[in-house]
Amino acid sequence: LWMWGYRGDALTNLVIGWSSVDGKQYTLWRMTNLAVAGEVVQSNIMASVPANAFTNSVSSHGPYYYRIQVER
């Protein structure tokens, strides 16, 4: 899995991207501490081969850690 991120068009938007596989669905998680499970940002994200991108609104300063989970 290849994952990347960059600031979107505003300081409150972060674009998260990752390589994807046709027919798969993904869940994007966000956490402020790697020792906790975190929160689901979005689930049931359909693959958009060769890569997915999701814009996440960030209302406060992090740091934030993101995790991509393959649902099926």
Side-chain angles (χ1 to χ4, degrees):
L1 176 68
W2 174 67
M3 190 173 170
W4 50 268
Y6 65 89
R7 285 285 183 188
D9 57 359
L11 292 177
T12 59
N13 290 329
L14 178 66
V15 180
I16 305 294
W18 64 94
S19 57
S20 59
V21 176
D22 193 33
K24 299 292 183 182
Q25 287 184 322
Y26 301 92
T27 297
L28 177 64
W29 293 79
R30 180 176 74 182
M31 61 226 55
T32 56
N33 181 337
L34 292 174
V36 298
E39 64 182 351
V40 173
V41 175
Q42 181 70 43
S43 61
N44 300 315
I45 303 171
M46 295 299 296
S48 177
V49 177
N52 278 52
F54 184 87
T55 302
N56 182 222
S57 295
V58 182
S59 59
S60 63
H61 297 287
Y64 291 114
Y65 303 95
Y66 289 86
R67 179 170 59 107
I68 303 297
Q69 175 185 3
V70 179
E71 292 179 17
R72 51 181 154 143

